[in-house]
Amino acid sequence: MTRILIVDDDHELRETIKEVIEQENFQATTAQNADEALALVQHDSFDLIILDMVMPGTDGMNAIPLLRRYSPGSRIVVITAFSTVQNAVQALRQGAHDYLSKPFTIETLLATIGKNLQEASFTDCAETLDSEDIFQGLANQLRRQIIFTLKQQGNMCFMELVRALAIEDHTKVNFHLKVLREAGFIEQDQKKCYILTSAGEKAASCLAFINKNLGLTD
């Protein structure tokens, strides 16, 4: 489940954002100041951090690089009632990914969250697939079909997989299974059935995400 941290000293706004986020089936955690947020990110991971700029103690601007240090994988969306181009540019230079000006609508908030989570997914997939070995492993269409089939069906023995792929040339399937095993995308269980490894699961999710968002078909 997507985890979002809301950091704002305004209790009412903080709880409103939390309620809105939870209605979208995200897991929301709140912090009333940046220092509390910094303590949280050292022990928990968050996909996105919504950060107020003006708070008692450590302010949002100074908190950005610290949050990036402790939680480098989190997207940071800064919110402030003092919206200026200079503040926005400075926040982005400090490491924030986006900027919202108070007051904002629920629709704008959710659109901003959705955009940043999508961008994070693209970045994560790019890092996952940005390897010559991984690229070679997924370059062939049949190998991608094998990964998608195992993702959808789960553990499958050789003949089950051949039938699902509707490939008459068993030698070809066996060859590509070997390539995927060597690339670390699949392995065999005690019954000699093929299953996706954690790398294979991630690759399957990334390929599905890219296909969906780019309108591609395999």
Side-chain angles (χ1 to χ4, degrees):
M1 179 179 290
T2 299
R3 304 190 67 200
I4 298 177
L5 176 61
I6 306 154
V7 190
D8 200 309
D9 62 321
D10 184 330
H11 175 78
E12 184 176 350
L13 178 59
R14 190 171 68 241
E15 293 303 312
T16 298
I17 295 175
K18 181 176 185 291
E19 181 179 351
V20 169
I21 286 174
E22 290 178 336
Q23 288 177 351
E24 297 297 315
N25 296 318
F26 298 135
Q27 182 177 335
T29 302
T30 62
Q32 60 184 342
N33 54 56
D35 297 309
E36 186 177 330
L38 288 167
L40 285 170
V41 298
Q42 293 182 59
H43 302 286
D44 294 315
S45 60
F46 298 94
D47 299 285
L48 186 141
I49 300 171
I50 298 173
L51 177 68
D52 189 24
M53 290 283 283
V54 180
M55 294 177 290
T58 304
D59 64 20
M61 192 70 74
N62 289 318
I64 293 171
L66 297 175
L67 290 168
R68 291 297 304 274
R69 181 192 305 171
Y70 294 120
S71 188
S74 300
R75 303 282 295 188
I76 299 176
V77 176
V78 171
I79 57 175
T80 180
F82 304 97
S83 178
T84 66
V85 173
Q86 290 81 3
N87 281 344
V89 170
Q90 186 179 353
L92 294 173
R93 285 176 175 171
Q94 289 287 81
H97 298 88
D98 214 335
Y99 195 89
L100 274 174
S101 175
K102 298 179 184 177
F104 47 81
T105 64
I106 290 175
E107 291 75 15
T108 300
L109 172 65
L110 292 177
T112 301
I113 290 173
K115 180 187 72 172
N116 279 275
L117 291 176
Q118 186 177 61
E119 289 174 354
S121 294
F122 271 118
T123 300
D124 186 48
C125 285
E127 292 174 353
T128 298
L129 302 176
D130 188 20
S131 160
E132 184 174 351
D133 291 339
I134 292 176
F135 178 80
Q136 290 298 327
L138 300 177
N140 179 271
Q141 183 179 5
L142 179 54
R143 293 200 284 271
R144 294 196 299 273
Q145 290 176 339
I146 291 172
I147 286 179
F148 282 131
T149 301
L150 291 175
K151 176 69 173 177
Q152 294 170 354
Q153 303 295 329
N155 299 17
M156 299 184 75
C157 294
F158 180 77
M159 289 309 301
E160 293 175 329
L161 189 54
V162 168
R163 286 193 292 269
L165 294 168
I167 301 295
E168 295 183 0
D169 188 343
H170 296 184
T171 303
K172 180 185 294 187
V173 177
N174 190 60
F175 169 78
H176 289 296
L177 286 170
K178 180 180 178 181
V179 173
L180 289 171
R181 286 186 66 181
E182 291 176 349
F185 290 116
I186 64 173
E187 59 187 8
Q188 287 180 288
D189 61 18
Q190 294 180 344
K191 296 181 179 180
K192 299 298 182 181
C193 290
Y194 291 95
I195 58 175
L196 291 177
T197 63
S198 58
E201 291 279 357
K202 191 169 186 180
S205 297
C206 285
L207 289 171
F209 175 85
I210 290 171
N211 286 350
K212 176 181 177 182
N213 285 275
L214 297 182
L216 302 176
T217 56
D218 204 90

